[in-house]
């Protein structure tokens, strides 16, 4: 299985929470060059919300895709 961590060649969003007692971890890379990482449930939630609102899917809406 290949790594699910996003890269500039394969942008996207990845979130991991192996068990309820461990903090979530997330990483995001956008094709525009922006990237971010977060640890902790609240921080990962903010990362996902920011990525969805300003990168990834938001870029597709802006360019009419």
């Amino acid at each position: 299985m290949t790594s699910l961590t996003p890269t500039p060649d394969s942008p996207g969003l990845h979130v991991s929470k192996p068990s309820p007692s461990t903090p979530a971890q997330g990483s995001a890379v956008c094709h525009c060059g922006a990237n971010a990482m977060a640890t902790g449930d609240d921080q990962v939630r903010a990362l996902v919300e920011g990525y969805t609102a300003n990168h990834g899917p938001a870029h597709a809406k802006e360019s009419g895709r």
Side-chain angles (χ1 to χ4, degrees), residues 14-60:
H14 180 253
V15 174
S16 173
K17 183 165 174 81
S19 77
S21 62
T22 60
Q25 293 185 336
S27 59
V29 176
C30 185
H31 61 84
C32 74
N35 63 67
M37 295 178 72
T39 300
D41 296 0
D42 292 338
Q43 291 83 2
V44 170
R45 186 176 298 111
L47 171 72
V48 170
E49 290 171 357
Y51 179 82
T52 347
N54 302 302
H55 297 285
H59 286 305

